[in-house]
Amino acid sequence: MLLNRHPSNPILLPDPQSDWETYNVFNPSVIYANGLFHMHYRAQGLDWLSRIGYAVSADGIHWNRFSRPVLSPESEEDARGIEDPRVTEIDGTYYMTYTAYGNTFEGPGQPTYFGGGVMPMIAKSTNLITWEKVGPIVRGEDNKDHLLFPCKKNGKYMAFHRRPPQVWIAYSDDLLTWPLDEMKPVFAPRPDNGWDSFRVGSGGVPIKTEEGWLMIYHAYDPDHVYRLGACLLDLDDPSKVINRPKPFIMEPKELWELRGDVPNVVFASANLRVKNQVYVYYGGADHVVGLATADYHELLDFARNG
Ligand code: BMA
């Protein structure tokens, strides 16, 4: 088994005594900095709005949470929630990509939003707690599952985003402008490969290795079962896929992955290497947070040769 579920799973549960994380905590980002694991997670409480909570841990398993969210809806653009954070550090600043779920308007003087009002947004922070909203990668289309690479290429920021049904790359000089004509598809669903035949989207920020970018991604099939796969991307140009094994590496199996707010979902949005382990954090059935670990060399070997 490449990915082994941790015996303490689920490692984060909703808190019935908290108004904003009463029902679901899921789809976390986790980074490792200054000897600590830092988690940003999506939480839904009594009003069902998604907000971002923050928790910190010395071992990646036991967490201390902040009592209030660190990022909440505050405008028409995110009025229906802030979802699915992924945090990256670039040159000492932390960037969070998240989905803004906004109100939809049509009519004179009002912007028109497509895709149910979702937008791939970016925020920044120097301390992981106070966040400043920066802006979206693109407006007016169904687009989410975006992440920032932890380094620049030729002075440009690089992002993956998901234009259904596939993963795309985008570039920016300043994080504010992402020219549409520089966006291009990276990889798509494989119609003849069952589990990833319908939609694919990025997992956590890919891991930089000597062989290339080690990437975990999610996919779902026409039955809406979310599974995880792995692939290897070119180190210099991550829009080039070096290898993409056909088998998945994880599928919903535990009760809390099969049943929850949305059934049959393992949705990984964090994968970090700590020594020779890869920690994969994921949402189980849009309800709780799970952890699975892999041996780094085994996972890399699978992504390269599987
Ligand atoms: C996706 C996202 C995720 C969610 C998944 C399964 O579109 O909205 O937040 O985990 O669906 O419901």
Side-chain angles (χ1 to χ4, degrees):
M1 282 261 281
L2 265 182
L3 273 178
N4 296 296
R5 288 172 174 82
H6 197 277
S8 302
N9 274 338
I11 54 135
L12 202 77
L13 293 168
D15 179 356
Q17 294 194 312
S18 164
D19 58 346
W20 62 278
E21 52 180 338
T22 335
Y23 295 143
N24 299 310
V25 293
F26 59 117
N27 297 1
S29 158
V30 180
I31 62 163
Y32 190 72
N34 300 325
L36 293 169
F37 293 80
H38 303 264
M39 180 191 285
H40 295 84
Y41 58 96
R42 177 174 167 192
Q44 288 174 317
L46 298 177
D47 60 7
W48 281 104
L49 286 183
S50 291
R51 297 177 174 81
I52 305 300
Y54 170 74
V56 65
S57 169
D59 61 8
I61 298 157
H62 304 92
W63 297 88
N64 291 296
R65 317 188 199 191
F66 266 37
S67 58
R68 298 307 307 161
V70 294
L71 207 60
S72 297
E74 54 191 9
S75 71
E76 293 294 347
E77 288 190 338
D78 54 25
R80 289 193 283 173
I82 293 187
E83 307 182 350
D84 301 352
R86 292 171 174 91
V87 175
T88 322
E89 182 190 343
I90 309 172
D91 300 334
T93 300
Y94 298 103
Y95 297 93
M96 182 194 293
T97 55
Y98 64 91
T99 304
Y101 184 26
N103 283 330
T104 46
F105 299 101
E106 282 182 59
Q110 301 282 22
T112 303
Y113 296 102
F114 300 93
V118 295
M119 264 198 320
M121 288 285 296
I122 300 171
K124 67 177 179 180
S125 174
T126 52
N127 62 13
L128 293 167
I129 291 163
T130 320
W131 292 92
E132 180 192 335
K133 294 172 184 172
V134 175
I137 291 178
V138 60
R139 285 175 192 273
E141 62 176 44
D142 178 3
N143 193 316
K144 49 164 75 171
D145 288 328
H146 54 305
L147 56 81
L148 275 175
F149 278 79
C151 58
K152 296 183 187 173
K153 180 178 157 74
N154 302 330
K156 287 180 190 283
Y157 296 95
M158 287 185 289
F160 274 0
H161 56 115
R162 206 275 297 281
R163 276 184 160 157
Q166 71 246 51
V167 174
W168 287 61
I169 198 163
Y171 304 94
S172 177
D173 289 324
D174 56 6
L175 292 176
L176 294 169
T177 314
W178 298 84
L180 287 172
D181 59 0
E182 289 177 22
M183 295 182 183
K184 57 181 180 184
V186 180
F187 65 93
R190 295 175 287 198
D192 58 350
N193 199 47
W195 71 275
D196 72 354
S197 59
F198 196 62
R199 291 273 189 282
V200 291
S202 296
V205 176
I207 302 170
K208 194 173 192 174
T209 81
E210 285 175 6
E211 319 266 344
W213 294 98
L214 172 57
M215 172 159 187
I216 291 178
Y217 66 95
H218 69 262
Y220 62 93
D221 61 12
D223 291 330
H224 236 83
V225 178
Y226 277 71
R227 298 182 178 83
L228 303 178
C231 61
L232 194 67
L233 311 169
D234 187 88
L235 202 51
D236 187 49
D237 178 2
S239 70
K240 290 187 190 143
V241 178
I242 297 175
N243 190 47
R244 184 173 164 207
K246 287 209 158 149
F248 56 79
I249 57 171
M250 191 183 218
E251 67 174 339
K253 201 181 77 181
E254 302 292 331
L255 185 60
W256 49 273
E257 299 164 349
L258 297 168
R259 294 286 177 270
D261 200 39
V262 178
N264 306 313
V265 178
V266 288
F267 187 95
S269 39
N271 42 250
L272 57 155
R273 180 183 174 189
V274 182
K275 299 186 184 131
N276 278 325
Q277 291 286 303
V278 177
Y279 287 62
V280 178
Y281 293 90
Y282 60 98
D286 285 11
H287 181 48
V288 294
V289 175
L291 166 64
T293 56
D295 179 86
Y296 166 70
H297 294 288
E298 277 178 29
L299 187 61
L300 182 55
D301 186 56
F302 171 80
R304 186 182 40 206
N305 301 314

